[in-house]
Amino acid sequence: VEELSVRFGAPDILINNAAMSASQLCSSSIDKVSQQIDVNLIGCLAMAHAFRAQSHGCENRAIVNVASISGRTRSPMAAAIALQRRGF
């Protein structure tokens, strides 16, 4: 975000849309689930912090977090995502 701000100016909007899905939660390694959490949760937070740092106190900025419905559905293939979206 910092590099883009230098080149193009401070961003007006951030659209957080990064996500990844793993296989079934019980058959996934802890490393794979951890990587998924890093992308799906920590990635969104990291981008929001970087965006805010470049806002320089401007009030006309927006963050849009795009999410799936995985936290509301039942699917063994989406259990890790559901866990992240809805909690334990």
Side-chain angles (χ1 to χ4, degrees):
V1 174
E2 183 178 344
E3 184 179 326
L4 292 173
S5 293
V6 169
R7 187 169 177 186
F8 299 109
D12 294 324
I13 189 168
L14 167 66
I15 300 175
N16 265 329
N17 192 33
M20 67 174 287
S21 180
S23 58
Q24 292 185 1
L25 184 61
C26 292
S27 63
S28 293
S29 69
I30 295 297
D31 289 339
K32 188 68 173 174
V33 174
S34 181
Q35 178 187 24
Q36 185 178 2
I37 290 170
D38 283 347
V39 170
N40 295 349
L41 293 178
I42 306 304
C44 286
L45 289 172
M47 288 303 298
H49 281 271
F51 176 80
R52 184 171 180 253
Q54 297 303 314
S55 294
H56 307 294
C58 296
E59 294 181 16
N60 295 327
R61 307 273 190 239
I63 297 175
V64 177
N65 291 314
V66 179
S68 69
I69 62 167
S70 296
R72 297 182 177 265
T73 61
R74 292 185 176 102
S75 168
M77 298 302 285
I81 293 175
L83 178 66
Q84 295 162 41
R85 301 284 192 251
R86 303 290 287 186
F88 291 97

